[in-house]
Amino acid sequence: MRIGFIGLGIMGRPMARHLIDGGHDLLVARRRSPIPDELSQAAVCATARAVAEGADLVILMLPDTPDVEDVLFAADGVAAGLSPGKTVMDMSAIDPVATRRFAARIRDLGCDYVDAPVSGGEIAAKAGTLSIMVGAEPATFERVQPVLARMGSRVTHVGGVGDGQTAKVANQMVVGLTIAAVAEALTFAARAGADPARVRDALLGGFAASRVLDVHGQRMLDRAFQPGFSITLHAKDLALALSAGRTLTLPMPQTAACQQLLLSAIAQGEGGLDHAALFNTFARLANLHPEENDHA
C-alpha cells in the first residue's frame, strides 16, 4: 500500500519506520528540518496535498486539534489532494467532536475516515507495541487493521468515528491521575524518611502495581525527564476531557485537580519535560529538596 504519513515527531517517526519495514511505500511532506535518516526510503512531497494525491491511505500524527484541521483543510492540505476511495486516518489525540466534524467533510469527498489515537509513548512507538484505539466503520477497520498491526500490539475497534478519541481521552485521564498518585506517594515516602526506591519496589509487588509505577516511578527516582510524552501535551488532553465533561454536565473533580497540577508545572517552565516530571510539582509543594533523600 502507498501510505502518506504527516507528523514525524517523537511518536510519528518510529511509527513511520515500522510501515517501511512492513513493505509499504511511504510518502512524507517536506519539513523545515531534514527527513530523519531512518526514513530516507520515503518519497518526499512538497505539500500535504501532494502526499494525499500519491497515497491510498493518509496517516496524521499531529499535536492538537487545530494542527489536524489545518493539515486536512488548508489550501494545499490533504483534502485538496484526495480522490474517491482513499482513506484518511488520524492517529493524533484530539477533540472527539471535531473528529466527527472532520470525518463528515472527508466523507463528502467520497473517502473514508478513521480515528486511531495511541497509547504507550515513545518506548512503545519504537517497539511497535502501541495500544491503538480505533473509531471507524467495520469494513474500513478491517481494511486498515493490517497497517495498524505494524505499529501496535493491541488494536481495539472501539466503535464509530470519534469513539477512538473518546477512549484516548479516558486513557489520558487514567494515566494522568496515576502519575499524580505515584508522584504524591513517592514524595510522601521521601518526607517520611523511607527510601522511595524501596517503597516503589514494595508497591510493585502488590495491588498498587501499574505500568506507570514501574516506568514513570523509575523516571521520578532517576529524575530522567527527557520527553517521551510532554506535560504540555498531557495538559492539552485533560483540557479535552474537561471540555467534554462540561458538554455532558459531568463532574470530573479528580481530572480537574490533575489539570491544575500540570498547569502548575507548565508555569514553572517544565511543560516540555516528560509528564513524569509532575513529581517536581509535588516536591515543590512539600518543600522537598533532593538532599533530603538521595533518590528523591
Side-chain angles (χ1 to χ4, degrees):
M1 185 182 292
R2 290 175 62 79
I3 299 175
F5 203 108
I6 300 174
L8 301 176
I10 290 174
M11 298 288 289
R13 189 162 56 247
M15 292 165 67
R17 179 68 243 181
H18 288 305
L19 296 178
I20 292 175
D21 291 343
H24 297 288
D25 294 327
L26 201 71
L27 296 84
V28 299
R30 182 173 292 127
R31 311 163 74 222
R32 283 187 289 270
S33 55
I35 299 298
D37 289 342
E38 63 264 37
L39 301 180
S40 60
Q41 294 165 269
V44 180
C45 301
T47 63
R49 175 178 183 166
V51 171
E53 287 173 343
D56 306 304
L57 166 67
V58 181
I59 296 175
L60 309 181
M61 188 62 181
L62 300 166
D64 204 349
T65 307
D67 303 297
V68 172
E69 184 168 23
D70 182 61
V71 167
L72 285 176
F73 302 115
D76 272 327
V78 168
L82 292 174
S83 54
K86 296 190 175 189
T87 302
V88 174
M89 182 158 65
D90 181 27
M91 303 188 75
S92 320
I94 69 167
D95 183 352
V97 175
T99 291
R100 295 186 177 99
R101 187 172 69 249
F102 299 162
R105 294 177 66 179
I106 297 299
R107 282 196 293 262
D108 286 343
L109 300 173
C111 299
D112 292 317
Y113 197 94
V114 179
D115 63 301
V118 306
S119 180
E122 182 183 12
I123 293 172
K126 288 181 174 178
T129 58
L130 289 166
S131 174
I132 306 177
M133 298 152 267
V134 187
E137 293 299 317
T140 307
F141 172 73
E142 291 299 323
R143 190 167 66 252
V144 301
Q145 197 277 337
V147 174
L148 293 169
R150 293 298 312 179
M151 298 178 282
S153 58
R154 185 180 182 92
V155 179
T156 304
H157 185 202
V158 181
V161 170
D163 290 347
Q165 295 294 351
T166 297
K168 173 63 176 180
V169 168
N171 178 85
Q172 295 304 83
M173 292 165 62
V174 172
V175 171
L177 291 170
T178 307
I179 288 174
V182 170
E184 190 166 352
L186 294 182
T187 302
F188 164 74
R191 174 48 59 84
D195 182 341
R198 294 189 178 187
V199 169
R200 171 181 164 275
D201 285 344
L203 297 180
L204 285 171
F207 202 55
S210 70
R211 182 72 171 156
V212 169
L213 179 62
D214 183 12
V215 175
H216 289 320
Q218 189 62 54
R219 283 184 176 226
M220 294 173 193
L221 296 174
D222 296 338
R223 292 183 176 266
F225 298 139
Q226 288 301 309
F229 187 78
S230 73
I231 284 174
T232 294
L233 286 177
H234 207 138
K236 177 266 296 184
D237 289 344
L238 293 196
L240 294 175
L242 293 169
S243 175
R246 285 191 295 273
T247 300
L248 297 168
T249 319
L250 176 68
M252 301 167 69
Q254 295 186 92
T255 301
C258 187
Q259 172 75 328
Q260 291 300 307
L261 292 166
L262 292 168
L263 293 176
S264 175
I266 293 170
Q268 292 293 321
E270 296 179 343
L273 298 182
D274 188 85
H275 49 181
L278 193 59
F279 173 80
N280 292 341
T281 298
F282 284 90
R284 281 190 293 268
L285 288 171
N287 195 27
L288 181 68
H289 302 291
E291 59 269 20
E292 290 188 32
N293 191 295
D294 290 340
H295 301 278

